[in-house]
Amino acid sequence: MELKINNKCDRCNEQTAIVLPYGPHNLCKKHFIELFEKRIKKTTAKEGMLKYGEKIAVGVSGGKDSMVTLHMLNELFGKTKHNKIIAIMIDEGIKGYRDKAIEIAKKYCEENNIEHEIIKFEKEIGIDMHKTMEKIKKDKSLGSTCSFCGVFRRKILNEKAAEIGADKLATGHNLDDEVQSIIMSITDNDLTRIARSGETTGQRKNQKLVPRIKPLYETPEKEIIAYANMKGIEYYRQECCPYSWMAKRNYYRQMLNELENNFPGTKFKILEAHKQLKPLLKKMEMEKGANFKECTICGEPCNGEICGTCKQLKKLNKTKNQKIYKTTETKKETLSCCQTKFSN
Ligand code: SF4
Ligand SMILES: [Zn+2]
Ligand SMILES: [Zn+2]
C-alpha cells in the first residue's frame, strides 16, 4: 500500500501530528488520541477482560507501556466507585535504572490518588538482579539475566495481586511484545506457550492464579510513545536496562520492525493469525490433558512439577562457590530461597 503523507488530518483540517502507515492515516493530535483511546476501550470491553465491580492490580515499571496502561485504566475504571485500581511496582534491584523509573510511577500514583505498593525482589525471593548478574558472570551456562528476571517478576506480581484480592492483573504488554512472543514461541516450537498467550491469560480455577489482562495488546509501541508524549504522561525514558543486551527478544524486535517497515500492517496480521490459531491450539492442549498443577516446592500454580521461579532459583543455588541468597534465616542451607519461604 502506498503511503500518502498529507499535511492535513484525514478527518479534519488540522495539521497532521502522526502518520500511521498501516492505515494509511494522517491524523491530527485530537483524532489520533481519539483513535488510540477508542481502540483500548474496545480491547478492554472484550469478553472477560474487565468487568464492573472488579479490583484491578496493575503491574507498573515506570516505562511508557505500564504508565499508559495505568493512565488508561484509571481514566476508564479508576474514577468510579465500582472498580478499584492498585498499582504494583516491582523493584528488581537494578540500580540507576529501576529505582529512577519507580520514582516516576510513584509520583504519578500520588498525584492521581492511586493506591500503590513497591515490592523488592530481594525481600520477596531473596535475591536481586544485581546479585543474579554477578552469578551469571561467573557461570555463563546459567543463561540470560532476563530469563531469571521475567519469571521472578511474574511470580511476585501474581502473588501480590492474589494477596490484595485482585480479580485481574493488568500488564503493559503491547502489540510489539505480543507479536515478538508469538514468533519466539514458534521458533522455539512451543505450541503450549502460544495456546496460553493472548489478551487474557490464566484461569480462575486456581485461586492462586490471578488472570492477567493486556489492555494494550492491540496497540503498537510507537503509538504508545506518541500518546504518552501528546498527553504529557511522564515515563522513564533514559538508558535501557543495563542487562537488556542479553535479551533474545531484541533480535526478534529488530526483525519484526524491519518487516513492519517494509510491509506495514505485518504485526497486526501476525496477531490476527494468532487469534485464529489459538482455539485450535487450545483444543489440542486440552486433548493432551495439560492443566495447571501446583509446584511441589512452593505450591504456586504451574504447568509442570516445579514452577519457573523454583527452577531458576535452584540453578542459582547450584552455581559453584556460591552461598544461598535469602533474606530470612533458615537452617536448611541446601534449600533454595523459594523452598525456604514456602516451607516455613
Ligand atoms: S531487560 Fe531483562 S533484566 Fe532488564 S528488567 Fe527487563 S527482563 Fe529484567
Ligand atoms: Zn483531525
Ligand atoms: Zn515453585
Side-chain angles (χ1 to χ4, degrees):
M1 194 181 293
E2 199 188 328
L3 177 60
K4 286 190 191 137
I5 302 175
N6 297 328
N7 287 333
K8 292 266 183 270
C9 169
D10 292 350
R11 299 183 186 173
C12 72
N13 263 335
E14 288 298 314
Q15 197 167 352
T16 296
I18 189 165
V19 180
L20 310 178
Y22 54 82
H25 296 301
N26 298 276
L27 296 175
C28 67
K29 184 176 165 183
K30 174 178 166 263
H31 282 114
F32 168 69
I33 289 176
E34 208 174 274
L35 174 137
F36 185 94
E37 293 179 347
K38 209 167 143 191
R39 186 196 280 140
I40 295 175
K41 276 184 202 157
K42 215 169 130 196
T43 304
T44 52
K46 282 185 187 157
E47 206 185 326
M49 188 175 271
L50 277 172
K51 290 184 190 144
Y52 179 86
E54 284 185 334
K55 191 189 260 191
I56 309 153
V58 188
V60 184
S61 66
K64 60 186 186 331
D65 303 314
S66 63
M67 290 305 292
V68 169
T69 303
L70 181 64
H71 171 83
M72 283 304 298
L73 291 181
N74 193 44
E75 289 296 308
L76 294 173
F77 303 96
K79 294 181 175 166
T80 69
K81 57 180 185 320
H82 311 296
N83 292 83
K84 189 171 173 62
I85 307 273
I86 302 173
I88 305 175
M89 299 161 202
I90 309 286
D91 184 352
E92 302 95 342
I94 307 170
K95 291 190 185 72
Y97 168 68
R98 185 63 76 214
D99 42 353
K100 290 183 189 168
I102 283 182
E103 266 318 300
I104 294 171
K106 201 171 148 230
K107 186 170 161 252
Y108 182 89
C109 289
E110 283 165 358
E111 284 171 2
N112 290 280
N113 296 319
I114 302 171
E115 211 177 290
H116 56 281
E117 275 195 54
I118 302 171
I119 326 272
K120 288 183 183 289
F121 262 29
E122 179 93 51
K123 184 162 180 283
E124 289 300 308
I125 50 161
I127 186 163
D128 65 14
M129 285 316 294
H130 178 72
K131 287 175 186 161
T132 303
M133 187 62 183
E134 290 302 306
K135 287 189 166 230
I136 291 171
K137 272 189 204 156
K138 288 182 187 144
D139 182 357
K140 298 265 186 317
S141 72
L142 286 171
S144 75
T145 38
C146 299
S147 66
F148 290 89
C149 191
V151 285
F152 294 166
R153 192 181 321 111
R154 244 191 327 273
K155 179 189 173 74
I156 297 172
L157 269 175
N158 182 66
E159 268 180 4
K160 197 35 79 179
E163 196 184 303
I164 61 176
D167 298 290
K168 299 281 163 60
L169 169 60
T171 60
H173 291 90
N174 59 41
L175 172 75
D176 294 59
D177 300 322
E178 211 51 25
V179 170
Q180 285 154 20
S181 298
I182 294 166
I183 302 297
M184 278 167 81
S185 303
I186 292 172
T187 54
D188 287 345
N189 189 22
D190 191 344
L191 296 185
T192 306
R193 205 161 77 209
I194 309 184
R196 289 188 176 154
S197 64
E199 72 278 24
T200 311
T201 53
Q203 50 187 18
R204 206 69 224 232
K205 279 180 199 158
N206 190 321
Q207 279 308 309
K208 288 182 183 169
L209 194 66
V210 181
R212 287 188 298 274
I213 55 164
K214 301 169 185 169
L216 303 185
Y217 95 110
E218 292 170 310
T219 304
E221 186 173 36
K222 282 183 184 162
E223 291 176 36
I224 294 168
I225 299 172
Y227 179 82
N229 291 338
M230 286 180 196
K231 294 286 283 189
I233 300 168
E234 215 189 318
Y235 62 90
Y236 179 78
R237 58 181 95 202
Q238 294 163 40
E239 308 88 57
C240 287
C241 168
Y243 310 144
S244 66
W245 60 273
M246 293 181 85
K248 178 181 172 186
R249 189 171 278 277
N250 288 344
Y251 295 100
Y252 288 81
R253 176 180 294 117
Q254 213 177 324
M255 178 191 80
L256 285 158
N257 284 347
E258 213 169 293
L259 271 173
E260 183 70 33
N261 285 342
N262 288 306
F263 310 103
T266 298
K267 291 176 190 173
F268 281 121
K269 284 180 195 152
I270 294 174
L271 192 74
E272 205 40 55
H274 174 248
K275 279 186 205 165
Q276 291 183 40
L277 271 174
K278 200 177 149 174
L280 301 173
L281 292 170
K282 263 192 147 174
K283 196 166 163 253
M284 219 169 80
E285 280 297 301
M286 276 156 79
E287 277 163 12
K288 275 200 289 184
N291 217 335
F292 280 105
K293 298 176 184 164
E294 288 195 348
C295 170
T296 51
I297 297 174
C298 72
E300 284 296 299
C302 65
N303 301 329
E305 297 299 315
I306 300 177
C307 74
T309 305
C310 289
K311 271 186 206 156
Q312 294 300 72
L313 284 171
K314 272 181 132 189
K315 272 202 218 171
L316 290 176
N317 289 330
K318 274 182 180 167
T319 312
K320 276 184 256 164
N321 306 326
Q322 294 288 327
K323 281 189 173 177
I324 299 164
Y325 286 100
K326 56 188 166 53
T327 48
T328 42
E329 277 306 311
T330 175
K331 290 181 195 96
K332 297 176 189 171
E333 285 209 342
T334 51
L335 294 181
S336 70
C337 336
C338 196
Q339 283 172 307
T340 304
K341 189 176 162 194
F342 287 94
S343 63
N344 280 340

mmCIF file with all atom_site columns, all heavy atoms in Angstrom, residues 47-68:
data_model
loop_
_atom_site.group_PDB
_atom_site.id
_atom_site.type_symbol
_atom_site.label_atom_id
_atom_site.label_alt_id
_atom_site.label_comp_id
_atom_site.label_asym_id
_atom_site.label_entity_id
_atom_site.label_seq_id
_atom_site.pdbx_PDB_ins_code
_atom_site.Cartn_x
_atom_site.Cartn_y
_atom_site.Cartn_z
_atom_site.occupancy
_atom_site.B_iso_or_equiv
_atom_site.pdbx_formal_charge
_atom_site.auth_seq_id
_atom_site.auth_comp_id
_atom_site.auth_asym_id
_atom_site.auth_atom_id
_atom_site.pdbx_PDB_model_num
ATOM 1   N N   . GLU A 1 47 ? -14.886 -9.633  25.847 1.00 0.00 ? 47 GLU A N   1
ATOM 2   C CA  . GLU A 1 47 ? -15.402 -10.593 26.823 1.00 0.00 ? 47 GLU A CA  1
ATOM 3   C C   . GLU A 1 47 ? -14.385 -11.022 27.885 1.00 0.00 ? 47 GLU A C   1
ATOM 4   O O   . GLU A 1 47 ? -13.294 -11.485 27.562 1.00 0.00 ? 47 GLU A O   1
ATOM 5   C CB  . GLU A 1 47 ? -15.867 -11.845 26.072 1.00 0.00 ? 47 GLU A CB  1
ATOM 6   C CG  . GLU A 1 47 ? -16.919 -12.578 26.837 1.00 0.00 ? 47 GLU A CG  1
ATOM 7   C CD  . GLU A 1 47 ? -17.272 -13.870 26.146 1.00 0.00 ? 47 GLU A CD  1
ATOM 8   O OE1 . GLU A 1 47 ? -17.237 -13.890 24.899 1.00 0.00 ? 47 GLU A OE1 1
ATOM 9   O OE2 . GLU A 1 47 ? -17.536 -14.810 26.852 1.00 0.00 ? 47 GLU A OE2 1
ATOM 10  N N   . GLY A 1 48 ? -14.743 -10.817 29.094 1.00 0.00 ? 48 GLY A N   1
ATOM 11  C CA  . GLY A 1 48 ? -13.916 -11.320 30.183 1.00 0.00 ? 48 GLY A CA  1
ATOM 12  C C   . GLY A 1 48 ? -12.731 -10.463 30.553 1.00 0.00 ? 48 GLY A C   1
ATOM 13  O O   . GLY A 1 48 ? -12.072 -10.723 31.553 1.00 0.00 ? 48 GLY A O   1
ATOM 14  N N   . MET A 1 49 ? -12.401 -9.435  29.772 1.00 0.00 ? 49 MET A N   1
ATOM 15  C CA  . MET A 1 49 ? -11.185 -8.707  30.115 1.00 0.00 ? 49 MET A CA  1
ATOM 16  C C   . MET A 1 49 ? -11.382 -7.880  31.387 1.00 0.00 ? 49 MET A C   1
ATOM 17  O O   . MET A 1 49 ? -10.649 -8.031  32.347 1.00 0.00 ? 49 MET A O   1
ATOM 18  C CB  . MET A 1 49 ? -10.690 -7.825  28.968 1.00 0.00 ? 49 MET A CB  1
ATOM 19  C CG  . MET A 1 49 ? -9.329  -7.255  29.320 1.00 0.00 ? 49 MET A CG  1
ATOM 20  S SD  . MET A 1 49 ? -8.516  -6.291  28.054 1.00 0.00 ? 49 MET A SD  1
ATOM 21  C CE  . MET A 1 49 ? -7.597  -7.484  27.146 1.00 0.00 ? 49 MET A CE  1
ATOM 22  N N   . LEU A 1 50 ? -12.373 -7.035  31.401 1.00 0.00 ? 50 LEU A N   1
ATOM 23  C CA  . LEU A 1 50 ? -12.627 -6.243  32.606 1.00 0.00 ? 50 LEU A CA  1
ATOM 24  C C   . LEU A 1 50 ? -14.122 -6.166  32.861 1.00 0.00 ? 50 LEU A C   1
ATOM 25  O O   . LEU A 1 50 ? -14.895 -5.963  31.940 1.00 0.00 ? 50 LEU A O   1
ATOM 26  C CB  . LEU A 1 50 ? -12.073 -4.828  32.438 1.00 0.00 ? 50 LEU A CB  1
ATOM 27  C CG  . LEU A 1 50 ? -10.576 -4.676  32.725 1.00 0.00 ? 50 LEU A CG  1
ATOM 28  C CD1 . LEU A 1 50 ? -10.106 -3.303  32.348 1.00 0.00 ? 50 LEU A CD1 1
ATOM 29  C CD2 . LEU A 1 50 ? -10.252 -4.975  34.171 1.00 0.00 ? 50 LEU A CD2 1
ATOM 30  N N   . LYS A 1 51 ? -14.483 -6.330  34.120 1.00 0.00 ? 51 LYS A N   1
ATOM 31  C CA  . LYS A 1 51 ? -15.913 -6.305  34.429 1.00 0.00 ? 51 LYS A CA  1
ATOM 32  C C   . LYS A 1 51 ? -16.225 -5.289  35.513 1.00 0.00 ? 51 LYS A C   1
ATOM 33  O O   . LYS A 1 51 ? -15.351 -4.916  36.297 1.00 0.00 ? 51 LYS A O   1
ATOM 34  C CB  . LYS A 1 51 ? -16.357 -7.700  34.897 1.00 0.00 ? 51 LYS A CB  1
ATOM 35  C CG  . LYS A 1 51 ? -16.353 -8.721  33.787 1.00 0.00 ? 51 LYS A CG  1
ATOM 36  C CD  . LYS A 1 51 ? -16.891 -10.043 34.289 1.00 0.00 ? 51 LYS A CD  1
ATOM 37  C CE  . LYS A 1 51 ? -16.653 -11.117 33.243 1.00 0.00 ? 51 LYS A CE  1
ATOM 38  N NZ  . LYS A 1 51 ? -16.330 -12.388 33.813 1.00 0.00 ? 51 LYS A NZ  1
ATOM 39  N N   . TYR A 1 52 ? -17.464 -4.921  35.545 1.00 0.00 ? 52 TYR A N   1
ATOM 40  C CA  . TYR A 1 52 ? -17.983 -3.991  36.545 1.00 0.00 ? 52 TYR A CA  1
ATOM 41  C C   . TYR A 1 52 ? -17.702 -4.552  37.944 1.00 0.00 ? 52 TYR A C   1
ATOM 42  O O   . TYR A 1 52 ? -17.908 -5.732  38.202 1.00 0.00 ? 52 TYR A O   1
ATOM 43  C CB  . TYR A 1 52 ? -19.495 -3.878  36.296 1.00 0.00 ? 52 TYR A CB  1
ATOM 44  C CG  . TYR A 1 52 ? -20.244 -2.981  37.237 1.00 0.00 ? 52 TYR A CG  1
ATOM 45  C CD1 . TYR A 1 52 ? -20.339 -1.617  36.993 1.00 0.00 ? 52 TYR A CD1 1
ATOM 46  C CD2 . TYR A 1 52 ? -20.871 -3.515  38.364 1.00 0.00 ? 52 TYR A CD2 1
ATOM 47  C CE1 . TYR A 1 52 ? -21.049 -0.799  37.845 1.00 0.00 ? 52 TYR A CE1 1
ATOM 48  C CE2 . TYR A 1 52 ? -21.580 -2.704  39.224 1.00 0.00 ? 52 TYR A CE2 1
ATOM 49  C CZ  . TYR A 1 52 ? -21.663 -1.345  38.958 1.00 0.00 ? 52 TYR A CZ  1
ATOM 50  O OH  . TYR A 1 52 ? -22.356 -0.541  39.813 1.00 0.00 ? 52 TYR A OH  1
ATOM 51  N N   . GLY A 1 53 ? -17.207 -3.723  38.815 1.00 0.00 ? 53 GLY A N   1
ATOM 52  C CA  . GLY A 1 53 ? -17.017 -4.133  40.210 1.00 0.00 ? 53 GLY A CA  1
ATOM 53  C C   . GLY A 1 53 ? -15.700 -4.832  40.498 1.00 0.00 ? 53 GLY A C   1
ATOM 54  O O   . GLY A 1 53 ? -15.431 -5.190  41.647 1.00 0.00 ? 53 GLY A O   1
ATOM 55  N N   . GLU A 1 54 ? -14.877 -5.030  39.478 1.00 0.00 ? 54 GLU A N   1
ATOM 56  C CA  . GLU A 1 54 ? -13.634 -5.775  39.721 1.00 0.00 ? 54 GLU A CA  1
ATOM 57  C C   . GLU A 1 54 ? -12.526 -4.903  40.319 1.00 0.00 ? 54 GLU A C   1
ATOM 58  O O   . GLU A 1 54 ? -12.439 -3.711  40.053 1.00 0.00 ? 54 GLU A O   1
ATOM 59  C CB  . GLU A 1 54 ? -13.131 -6.375  38.409 1.00 0.00 ? 54 GLU A CB  1
ATOM 60  C CG  . GLU A 1 54 ? -13.913 -7.597  37.988 1.00 0.00 ? 54 GLU A CG  1
ATOM 61  C CD  . GLU A 1 54 ? -13.365 -8.283  36.760 1.00 0.00 ? 54 GLU A CD  1
ATOM 62  O OE1 . GLU A 1 54 ? -12.699 -7.622  35.931 1.00 0.00 ? 54 GLU A OE1 1
ATOM 63  O OE2 . GLU A 1 54 ? -13.596 -9.483  36.622 1.00 0.00 ? 54 GLU A OE2 1
ATOM 64  N N   . LYS A 1 55 ? -11.676 -5.584  41.088 1.00 0.00 ? 55 LYS A N   1
ATOM 65  C CA  . LYS A 1 55 ? -10.485 -4.912  41.611 1.00 0.00 ? 55 LYS A CA  1
ATOM 66  C C   . LYS A 1 55 ? -9.339  -5.245  40.645 1.00 0.00 ? 55 LYS A C   1
ATOM 67  O O   . LYS A 1 55 ? -9.113  -6.417  40.323 1.00 0.00 ? 55 LYS A O   1
ATOM 68  C CB  . LYS A 1 55 ? -10.171 -5.477  43.005 1.00 0.00 ? 55 LYS A CB  1
ATOM 69  C CG  . LYS A 1 55 ? -9.129  -4.671  43.744 1.00 0.00 ? 55 LYS A CG  1
ATOM 70  C CD  . LYS A 1 55 ? -8.698  -5.371  45.008 1.00 0.00 ? 55 LYS A CD  1
ATOM 71  C CE  . LYS A 1 55 ? -9.370  -4.820  46.227 1.00 0.00 ? 55 LYS A CE  1
ATOM 72  N NZ  . LYS A 1 55 ? -8.751  -5.330  47.474 1.00 0.00 ? 55 LYS A NZ  1
ATOM 73  N N   . ILE A 1 56 ? -8.670  -4.202  40.172 1.00 0.00 ? 56 ILE A N   1
ATOM 74  C CA  . ILE A 1 56 ? -7.640  -4.422  39.140 1.00 0.00 ? 56 ILE A CA  1
ATOM 75  C C   . ILE A 1 56 ? -6.262  -4.044  39.677 1.00 0.00 ? 56 ILE A C   1
ATOM 76  O O   . ILE A 1 56 ? -6.030  -2.889  40.041 1.00 0.00 ? 56 ILE A O   1
ATOM 77  C CB  . ILE A 1 56 ? -7.933  -3.580  37.872 1.00 0.00 ? 56 ILE A CB  1
ATOM 78  C CG1 . ILE A 1 56 ? -9.379  -3.794  37.414 1.00 0.00 ? 56 ILE A CG1 1
ATOM 79  C CG2 . ILE A 1 56 ? -6.958  -3.913  36.750 1.00 0.00 ? 56 ILE A CG2 1
ATOM 80  C CD1 . ILE A 1 56 ? -9.950  -2.609  36.657 1.00 0.00 ? 56 ILE A CD1 1
ATOM 81  N N   . ALA A 1 57 ? -5.375  -5.016  39.701 1.00 0.00 ? 57 ALA A N   1
ATOM 82  C CA  . ALA A 1 57 ? -3.983  -4.727  40.043 1.00 0.00 ? 57 ALA A CA  1
ATOM 83  C C   . ALA A 1 57 ? -3.270  -4.410  38.731 1.00 0.00 ? 57 ALA A C   1
ATOM 84  O O   . ALA A 1 57 ? -3.516  -5.065  37.719 1.00 0.00 ? 57 ALA A O   1
ATOM 85  C CB  . ALA A 1 57 ? -3.352  -5.939  40.706 1.00 0.00 ? 57 ALA A CB  1
ATOM 86  N N   . VAL A 1 58 ? -2.414  -3.398  38.735 1.00 0.00 ? 58 VAL A N   1
ATOM 87  C CA  . VAL A 1 58 ? -1.677  -3.054  37.502 1.00 0.00 ? 58 VAL A CA  1
ATOM 88  C C   . VAL A 1 58 ? -0.180  -3.159  37.802 1.00 0.00 ? 58 VAL A C   1
ATOM 89  O O   . VAL A 1 58 ? 0.314   -2.513  38.732 1.00 0.00 ? 58 VAL A O   1
ATOM 90  C CB  . VAL A 1 58 ? -2.008  -1.613  37.018 1.00 0.00 ? 58 VAL A CB  1
ATOM 91  C CG1 . VAL A 1 58 ? -1.402  -1.358  35.640 1.00 0.00 ? 58 VAL A CG1 1
ATOM 92  C CG2 . VAL A 1 58 ? -3.507  -1.358  36.999 1.00 0.00 ? 58 VAL A CG2 1
ATOM 93  N N   . GLY A 1 59 ? 0.521   -3.973  37.038 1.00 0.00 ? 59 GLY A N   1
ATOM 94  C CA  . GLY A 1 59 ? 1.974   -4.084  37.190 1.00 0.00 ? 59 GLY A CA  1
ATOM 95  C C   . GLY A 1 59 ? 2.607   -2.863  36.545 1.00 0.00 ? 59 GLY A C   1
ATOM 96  O O   . GLY A 1 59 ? 2.465   -2.665  35.337 1.00 0.00 ? 59 GLY A O   1
ATOM 97  N N   . VAL A 1 60 ? 3.273   -2.029  37.337 1.00 0.00 ? 60 VAL A N   1
ATOM 98  C CA  . VAL A 1 60 ? 3.811   -0.778  36.796 1.00 0.00 ? 60 VAL A CA  1
ATOM 99  C C   . VAL A 1 60 ? 5.327   -0.713  36.988 1.00 0.00 ? 60 VAL A C   1
ATOM 100 O O   . VAL A 1 60 ? 5.834   -0.838  38.102 1.00 0.00 ? 60 VAL A O   1
ATOM 101 C CB  . VAL A 1 60 ? 3.147   0.444   37.486 1.00 0.00 ? 60 VAL A CB  1
ATOM 102 C CG1 . VAL A 1 60 ? 3.638   1.740   36.849 1.00 0.00 ? 60 VAL A CG1 1
ATOM 103 C CG2 . VAL A 1 60 ? 1.637   0.368   37.395 1.00 0.00 ? 60 VAL A CG2 1
ATOM 104 N N   . SER A 1 61 ? 6.037   -0.506  35.879 1.00 0.00 ? 61 SER A N   1
ATOM 105 C CA  . SER A 1 61 ? 7.501   -0.431  35.957 1.00 0.00 ? 61 SER A CA  1
ATOM 106 C C   . SER A 1 61 ? 7.997   1.009   35.906 1.00 0.00 ? 61 SER A C   1
ATOM 107 O O   . SER A 1 61 ? 9.121   1.293   36.255 1.00 0.00 ? 61 SER A O   1
ATOM 108 C CB  . SER A 1 61 ? 8.105   -1.208  34.786 1.00 0.00 ? 61 SER A CB  1
ATOM 109 O OG  . SER A 1 61 ? 7.758   -0.549  33.573 1.00 0.00 ? 61 SER A OG  1
ATOM 110 N N   . GLY A 1 62 ? 7.138   1.915   35.406 1.00 0.00 ? 62 GLY A N   1
ATOM 111 C CA  . GLY A 1 62 ? 7.578   3.303   35.209 1.00 0.00 ? 62 GLY A CA  1
ATOM 112 C C   . GLY A 1 62 ? 7.910   3.569   33.746 1.00 0.00 ? 62 GLY A C   1
ATOM 113 O O   . GLY A 1 62 ? 8.138   4.704   33.350 1.00 0.00 ? 62 GLY A O   1
ATOM 114 N N   . GLY A 1 63 ? 7.932   2.516   32.931 1.00 0.00 ? 63 GLY A N   1
ATOM 115 C CA  . GLY A 1 63 ? 8.166   2.663   31.488 1.00 0.00 ? 63 GLY A CA  1
ATOM 116 C C   . GLY A 1 63 ? 6.884   3.121   30.784 1.00 0.00 ? 63 GLY A C   1
ATOM 117 O O   . GLY A 1 63 ? 5.808   3.149   31.390 1.00 0.00 ? 63 GLY A O   1
ATOM 118 N N   . LYS A 1 64 ? 7.011   3.442   29.499 1.00 0.00 ? 64 LYS A N   1
ATOM 119 C CA  . LYS A 1 64 ? 5.872   4.004   28.753 1.00 0.00 ? 64 LYS A CA  1
ATOM 120 C C   . LYS A 1 64 ? 4.643   3.092   28.741 1.00 0.00 ? 64 LYS A C   1
ATOM 121 O O   . LYS A 1 64 ? 3.515   3.574   28.915 1.00 0.00 ? 64 LYS A O   1
ATOM 122 C CB  . LYS A 1 64 ? 6.293   4.334   27.319 1.00 0.00 ? 64 LYS A CB  1
ATOM 123 C CG  . LYS A 1 64 ? 6.769   3.084   26.591 1.00 0.00 ? 64 LYS A CG  1
ATOM 124 C CD  . LYS A 1 64 ? 7.317   3.372   25.246 1.00 0.00 ? 64 LYS A CD  1
ATOM 125 C CE  . LYS A 1 64 ? 7.658   2.140   24.468 1.00 0.00 ? 64 LYS A CE  1
ATOM 126 N NZ  . LYS A 1 64 ? 8.049   0.918   25.183 1.00 0.00 ? 64 LYS A NZ  1
ATOM 127 N N   . ASP A 1 65 ? 4.866   1.790   28.527 1.00 0.00 ? 65 ASP A N   1
ATOM 128 C CA  . ASP A 1 65 ? 3.730   0.878   28.383 1.00 0.00 ? 65 ASP A CA  1
ATOM 129 C C   . ASP A 1 65 ? 2.905   0.773   29.662 1.00 0.00 ? 65 ASP A C   1
ATOM 130 O O   . ASP A 1 65 ? 1.684   0.883   29.635 1.00 0.00 ? 65 ASP A O   1
ATOM 131 C CB  . ASP A 1 65 ? 4.224   -0.526  27.983 1.00 0.00 ? 65 ASP A CB  1
ATOM 132 C CG  . ASP A 1 65 ? 5.033   -0.486  26.705 1.00 0.00 ? 65 ASP A CG  1
ATOM 133 O OD1 . ASP A 1 65 ? 4.591   0.174   25.759 1.00 0.00 ? 65 ASP A OD1 1
ATOM 134 O OD2 . ASP A 1 65 ? 6.117   -1.092  26.660 1.00 0.00 ? 65 ASP A OD2 1
ATOM 135 N N   . SER A 1 66 ? 3.604   0.562   30.773 1.00 0.00 ? 66 SER A N   1
ATOM 136 C CA  . SER A 1 66 ? 2.836   0.391   32.013 1.00 0.00 ? 66 SER A CA  1
ATOM 137 C C   . SER A 1 66 ? 2.249   1.719   32.485 1.00 0.00 ? 66 SER A C   1
ATOM 138 O O   . SER A 1 66 ? 1.169   1.745   33.066 1.00 0.00 ? 66 SER A O   1
ATOM 139 C CB  . SER A 1 66 ? 3.692   -0.256  33.096 1.00 0.00 ? 66 SER A CB  1
ATOM 140 O OG  . SER A 1 66 ? 4.777   0.553   33.434 1.00 0.00 ? 66 SER A OG  1
ATOM 141 N N   . MET A 1 67 ? 2.931   2.838   32.194 1.00 0.00 ? 67 MET A N   1
ATOM 142 C CA  . MET A 1 67 ? 2.377   4.128   32.608 1.00 0.00 ? 67 MET A CA  1
ATOM 143 C C   . MET A 1 67 ? 1.112   4.457   31.798 1.00 0.00 ? 67 MET A C   1
ATOM 144 O O   . MET A 1 67 ? 0.140   4.969   32.342 1.00 0.00 ? 67 MET A O   1
ATOM 145 C CB  . MET A 1 67 ? 3.413   5.251   32.429 1.00 0.00 ? 67 MET A CB  1
ATOM 146 C CG  . MET A 1 67 ? 4.580   5.180   33.401 1.00 0.00 ? 67 MET A CG  1
ATOM 147 S SD  . MET A 1 67 ? 4.100   5.144   35.133 1.00 0.00 ? 67 MET A SD  1
ATOM 148 C CE  . MET A 1 67 ? 3.440   6.771   35.334 1.00 0.00 ? 67 MET A CE  1
ATOM 149 N N   . VAL A 1 68 ? 1.137   4.122   30.503 1.00 0.00 ? 68 VAL A N   1
ATOM 150 C CA  . VAL A 1 68 ? -0.054  4.379   29.682 1.00 0.00 ? 68 VAL A CA  1
ATOM 151 C C   . VAL A 1 68 ? -1.176  3.407   30.081 1.00 0.00 ? 68 VAL A C   1
ATOM 152 O O   . VAL A 1 68 ? -2.356  3.787   30.141 1.00 0.00 ? 68 VAL A O   1
ATOM 153 C CB  . VAL A 1 68 ? 0.285   4.318   28.168 1.00 0.00 ? 68 VAL A CB  1
ATOM 154 C CG1 . VAL A 1 68 ? -0.980  4.318   27.317 1.00 0.00 ? 68 VAL A CG1 1
ATOM 155 C CG2 . VAL A 1 68 ? 1.162   5.507   27.781 1.00 0.00 ? 68 VAL A CG2 1
#
